[in-house]
Amino acid sequence: MTAAGKLGRQTFAALANRNFRRFISGQAVSLIGTWMQLVAQSWLVLELTGSGTAIGLVVALQTLPVLLLGPYGGVIADRADKRRLMIVLQTMMGVQALVLGVLTITGTVQLWHVYVLALLLGLNNCFENPARQSFLLEMVGPADLRNAVSLQSTLVSASRIVGPAVAGVTIAAGGLGVCFLLNAASFVAVVTSLLRLNVSELHRSPPMERARGQLREGLRYVRGNRNLAVPLLMMAFIGCLAFEFQVVLPIVADQTFGAGSEAYGFMTAAMGIGAVCGGLLVATWGRTGTRVLIVAAAAFGFSLVAAAAAPTLAVELIALVIVGAVSIAFNSTTNSTLQLEAEPQMRGRVMALWATAFQGSTAIGGPVAGWVSQEWGGRAGLLLGAITCLVVALVAAIVIGRGKKVTTQAQPIPEDPEEPTAPAPAIAEGPASTEAVRSKAA
């Protein structure tokens, strides 16, 4: 086999799994529709209000349920049949998009309609997200999990390119409402793919029996494991203030560069191009662990500084390509690190906390980023994310460094020089600990 062939097999290893191929094909169609709706929804709110703060409030309502109920969604994911749960929830998401599309096309849509439907979608997401994230391991097993997570993140990024582009054409040809209707139709593909999975080939985790205190148990489990707690806290702060592109980029396009919805679509697509490249690199050569996350967070911060300083739209698009690449590297590495570190019976709850940190934190960060961008411009919104990333990377590095010192100081001192006591093992981190967890899971 040629070197190119080996590289291709390494990059797309998870696609050898038939169930994953079916699942990812349905996701490919649905995610394009999702990005069409995201673009159309932000522009619809901007048309209705002309306010960046209003966009932030819609995003906040869509993510507030994840913040409040996300951890409980993980308990449900650990108890339920994840595949059946996703079928029901994906169907309900399609109905939400259909209602928004009908209201928009008929000209009866009002801002409060968007608020209510965004809240309902958020309620759906707080249960669907942990089920979908933890279901990846049941499809591909621990050996291909990191690759599957990276490929799924790459698919999200590819849809970020295609979806906004299709949305731009659709808005020009048929209006905002058609985008919502096409998104509703796209859920047929993902539900069909879930129905066609071969259940006998799944690496299913036994459902957890209902008992009291399971949410508190999950929180204690994360608090007692530094390799889970540090990545989750990093994602919470960075997800809160750095990933608010739905709020910041429309203002950058409209106010900073004086452009329209087409420029916003180009900016979103530029991030998507970078994210596809970054996702494929992570799928091929990526590593997991807190050290990798610290480097990725710092790179994310510096790329946002470059985007905030871009003097022209053309330079901004180049900077956003880099932002997309490093943001997807941070996101997918956090996801796979957590899944490989978590025990099977805790994985749903751990991934629910990841979803809460990544999406739920937007309920706080969305309005903050929208207000900062509205008051001081889109560049200030990008700088807010940049400062957050750099501070988080610095604090995480200090915490990890102190943890090593504590471990070293805790080694017992031999009482008899002739019979030395074996030193206490250091806490493993990064790729080494991930491989140990991978071996245990296998």
Side-chain angles (χ1 to χ4, degrees), residues 397-415:
I398 293 172
V399 170
I400 296 302
R402 286 181 177 176
K404 288 183 178 181
K405 292 179 181 179
V406 170
T407 302
T408 302
Q409 293 171 358
Q411 295 177 358
I413 301 173
E415 298 179 0

Side-chain angles (χ1 to χ4, degrees), residues 15 42 172 241 323 352 419:
L15 291 178
S42 293
L241 296 174
V323 170
E419 295 182 11

Side-chain angles (χ1 to χ4, degrees), residues 42 45-56 251 255 374:
S42 293
V45 173
L46 199 61
E47 284 187 354
L48 291 173
T49 66
S51 169
T53 303
I55 298 175
I251 298 174
Q255 297 181 10
Q374 188 74 29

Side-chain angles (χ1 to χ4, degrees), residues 81-82 138 199 202-207:
D81 183 312
K82 298 177 180 61
E138 295 190 7
V199 179
L202 296 175
H203 307 262
R204 301 182 70 175
S205 302

Side-chain angles (χ1 to χ4, degrees), residues 112-163:
W112 73 267
H113 293 150
V114 183
Y115 285 160
V116 171
L117 290 171
L119 181 63
L120 292 175
L121 182 60
L123 284 170
N124 204 315
N125 281 335
C126 75
F127 295 98
E128 193 273 340
N129 206 308
R132 173 165 42 84
Q133 295 297 333
S134 55
F135 187 62
L136 281 178
L137 184 64
E138 295 190 7
M139 280 192 292
V140 303
D144 288 327
L145 176 64
R146 179 182 57 78
N147 184 262
V149 170
S150 299
L151 290 178
Q152 180 177 252
S153 299
T154 303
L155 179 62
V156 173
S157 305
S159 66
R160 183 185 291 172
I161 302 171
V162 178

Side-chain angles (χ1 to χ4, degrees), residues 33-92:
T34 296
W35 277 104
M36 291 177 65
Q37 172 153 331
L38 289 174
V39 171
Q41 180 176 277
S42 293
W43 211 257
L44 173 63
V45 173
L46 199 61
E47 284 187 354
L48 291 173
T49 66
S51 169
T53 303
I55 298 175
L57 286 174
V58 171
V59 175
L61 287 170
Q62 193 165 305
T63 54
L64 182 62
V66 180
L67 177 65
L68 299 179
L69 300 175
Y72 182 69
V75 175
I76 299 301
D78 282 334
R79 291 176 180 172
D81 183 312
K82 298 177 180 61
R83 172 177 161 272
R84 292 179 180 177
L85 181 61
M86 285 190 294
I87 289 172
V88 173
L89 295 175
Q90 291 279 351
T91 301
M92 293 173 64

